[in-house]
Amino acid sequence: MNKYKALFLQLVILCSLLFGFTANASNQVQSIRVWPSPDNTRVVFDLVAAPDFKYFTLDNPHRLVIDLNRISAGTALPAVNGEAALIRGMRSSGSQNSMRIVVDLSKAVKPNVFALAPTAPYGHRLVIDFPDSNPTAATASSSAASTGSAAVSRPAIPASVRAARDIIIAVDAGHGGEDPGSIGPGGTYEKNLTLPIARQLVELINKEPGMKASLVRTGDYFIHVNSRTDIARRMQADLLVSIHADAFTSPNPRGAAVWVLSLRRASSEVGRMLEQTERHGELLGGVAEVIKDSANERYLAQTVLDLSMNHSMVTAHQVANQVLSELGKVTTLHKREPQAASLGVLRAPDIPSILVEVGFISNPQEERLLRNSAHQQKLVRSLFTGLRRHFELSPPADSLFAQRRAKEHRVQAGESLSLLAQRYNVSVDELRRHNELRSDSIRIGQVIRIP
């Protein structure tokens, strides 16, 4: 019996020592990063170990105070990487095994403070999100970027068709900020590929009369996947295009792909949105005003959302096919048909959405290719051509593209391209270019669009 008591006592002492070691384990702030975005400022403290923290706010002046426990004695804050108008400064004081960090703020905000576990390429983090509708440090340089260029040259539109609206496309650069996306074998971050490609696509779209594009993410900051569709909705977008680069566990797969929403995700998402009755007005627009006082509002809303989702999915599939057709001319295709997946950025029932994987960043050869500016330009041109071709074939009824489509001619027996050029007072080259013809040969019954 004494033998077991001795073993038990040794076990207790060992556990106490282990617990004491863990409790006194030292932590350290390795770096501080500030990520301003148009509606949020994020501050990230990179740490050696998981943070043990408490926090509170103070007024006059506005401050956030964070107390970190189990911090190495004598440690000081490293230099802050990044800046935002909301953050006036940071300072720290310490005692044995603890550190107090004071974040001086330019106005009163309600912070959201939380810890994040390690995810490559980051270790343990303490994150502070400050809701901020005017982080000028982020938006000052991005106002022009949201449309691709500060001064975009667009061909003049005849006065007779100016009343028609532009087709609006929201271009989403995948990942950003704390979320680097996939990382290539050469160290390339996916977020650093998607943004320049998205910017080039926006710039190209904005040069086309009747089309207008804006970036969902204008800089290197994080946007929650749910917020991306909300931003596109505020733009009143006709289409959301999300740019990504794929990755796999082996380096072999390569090629571009286009993803659309799966039916399983679509059905469950409609159910979740119906439960959020406060969003009916936002999703349904004027329809919500008609049905809001109806006793059968829920069932009518179900029908409207089902119809909207069905239209969005059909449209997205059509767009995906056009984009794949063009991408296949400039790069390898991983899949030649649109792929369906339960991806959050595709879930808006009121906005047709596609996700374009421009290649596999996990493939060393394709990683180098994706970083090549000439290859990026080819990808952007093909994306633009596919999008334009879709809207030429299926334009919104009130758009400039719809007015253009009204000017069509069905070829009759005995007609030639040169004869049509004379009849409509345009050049043969214009007809050939407008209809993407490789020769002057046309056939009976063919529809020729008149520029």
Side-chain angles (χ1 to χ4, degrees):
M1 189 68 179
N2 291 335
K3 177 181 177 182
Y4 290 111
K5 283 184 179 180
L7 287 173
F8 179 74
L9 182 59
Q10 291 175 3
L11 181 61
V12 169
I13 293 172
L14 179 61
C15 290
S16 300
L17 289 172
L18 288 173
F19 177 78
F21 177 79
T22 303
N24 292 316
S26 61
N27 204 344
Q28 185 176 358
V29 179
Q30 295 179 307
S31 63
I32 305 172
R33 292 171 286 127
V34 175
W35 302 95
S37 72
D39 54 7
N40 181 77
T41 294
R42 170 168 283 194
V43 179
V44 182
F45 295 92
D46 293 298
L47 301 162
V48 172
D52 177 4
F53 68 96
K54 295 179 181 179
Y55 71 95
F56 56 92
T57 57
L58 296 172
D59 296 325
N60 300 318
H62 305 299
R63 288 155 290 166
L64 169 66
V65 180
I66 303 169
D67 288 328
L68 289 174
N69 297 319
R70 302 207 305 268
I71 292 288
S72 298
T75 59
L77 286 181
V80 178
N81 181 13
E83 59 181 19
L86 179 67
I87 309 298
R88 284 185 168 174
M90 294 187 200
R91 46 201 165 88
S92 67
S93 61
S95 58
Q96 187 175 6
N97 296 329
S98 68
M99 173 187 284
R100 168 162 289 187
I101 301 173
V102 179
V103 183
D104 295 310
L105 305 171
S106 60
K107 60 183 178 181
V109 288
K110 186 177 181 180
N112 181 22
V113 185
F114 55 95
L116 286 178
T119 52
Y122 303 112
H124 289 281
R125 287 155 291 167
L126 179 64
V127 179
I128 304 104
D129 276 340
F130 297 99
D132 187 12
S133 59
N134 187 31
T136 54
T139 57
S141 61
S142 63
S143 57
S146 65
T147 55
S149 175
V152 177
S153 174
R154 296 168 66 104
I157 300 175
S160 60
V161 296
R162 282 179 187 164
R165 73 170 181 86
D166 290 336
I167 293 169
I168 300 173
I169 300 177
V171 182
D172 171 45
H175 307 284
E178 277 295 284
D179 175 17
S182 300
I183 304 173
T188 306
Y189 287 3
E190 182 181 357
K191 68 174 184 177
N192 293 333
L193 290 177
T194 60
L195 187 57
I197 291 174
R199 281 177 173 158
Q200 293 176 62
L201 180 58
V202 166
E203 185 173 358
L204 200 55
I205 291 172
N206 282 335
K207 292 179 179 178
E208 178 70 19
M211 297 180 76
K212 180 181 178 182
S214 294
L215 289 168
V216 171
R217 173 170 71 87
T218 60
D220 187 14
Y221 52 84
F222 175 78
I223 302 179
H224 192 279
V225 65
N226 295 340
S227 299
R228 295 175 190 254
T229 54
D230 291 337
I231 293 170
R233 187 172 295 114
R234 291 197 295 269
M235 294 177 186
Q236 298 182 320
D238 297 287
L239 177 70
L240 171 63
V241 180
S242 189
I243 308 296
H244 287 255
D246 216 334
F248 196 63
T249 53
S250 77
N252 297 322
R254 62 179 302 166
V258 181
W259 296 82
V260 295
L261 185 65
S262 71
L263 284 170
R264 179 176 297 177
R265 177 62 182 261
S267 300
S268 62
E269 194 59 39
V270 167
R272 282 192 289 270
M273 283 197 165
L274 281 170
E275 293 177 358
Q276 300 176 19
T277 55
E278 70 276 7
R279 299 191 65 188
H280 281 182
E282 182 179 357
L283 290 174
L284 306 178
V287 179
E289 295 302 314
V290 176
I291 68 175
K292 67 180 182 179
D293 295 325
S294 168
N296 298 317
E297 174 184 345
R298 182 176 182 84
Y299 303 102
L300 186 54
Q302 173 77 60
T303 302
V304 172
L305 282 174
D306 283 346
L307 290 172
S308 179
M309 178 65 85
N310 182 67
H311 172 265
S312 292
M313 293 179 67
V314 169
T315 300
H317 202 274
Q318 293 171 345
V319 176
N321 276 315
Q322 292 293 342
V323 169
L324 281 168
S325 176
E326 296 299 326
L327 279 173
K329 299 175 183 178
V330 300
T331 191
T332 304
L333 291 181
H334 183 65
K335 298 289 185 179
R336 295 189 174 274
E337 299 293 331
Q339 303 299 295
S342 55
L343 302 171
V345 76
L346 303 176
R347 69 185 187 173
D350 54 330
I351 306 174
S353 306
I354 63 171
L355 186 146
V356 180
E357 299 277 10
V358 293
F360 275 80
I361 196 175
S362 54
N363 180 292
Q365 293 77 26
E366 202 152 63
E367 178 190 17
R368 289 192 294 269
L369 195 61
L370 289 171
R371 293 173 61 175
N372 182 274
S373 59
H375 183 69
Q376 287 186 8
Q377 290 172 9
K378 290 179 182 179
L379 290 172
V380 169
R381 171 60 64 175
S382 67
L383 289 173
F384 165 71
T385 303
L387 297 176
R388 182 183 61 187
R389 184 60 178 157
H390 165 75
F391 286 113
E392 285 174 342
L393 296 173
S394 304
D398 57 346
S399 67
L400 176 61
F401 272 51
Q403 287 195 2
R404 288 177 183 165
R405 184 171 170 79
K407 297 177 65 176
E408 295 179 340
H409 178 89
R410 189 173 295 276
V411 177
Q412 306 296 320
E415 293 180 332
S416 65
L417 202 63
S418 59
L419 180 65
L420 295 180
Q422 292 177 7
R423 181 180 301 173
Y424 291 102
N425 196 28
V426 296
S427 69
V428 173
D429 286 342
E430 286 178 308
L431 280 178
R432 193 186 301 115
R433 184 170 56 254
H434 197 62
N435 291 273
E436 300 180 358
L437 300 175
R438 297 184 178 180
S439 69
D440 292 348
S441 176
I442 55 177
R443 65 183 184 277
I444 296 174
Q446 183 177 357
V447 176
I448 300 297
R449 293 175 291 113
I450 311 301

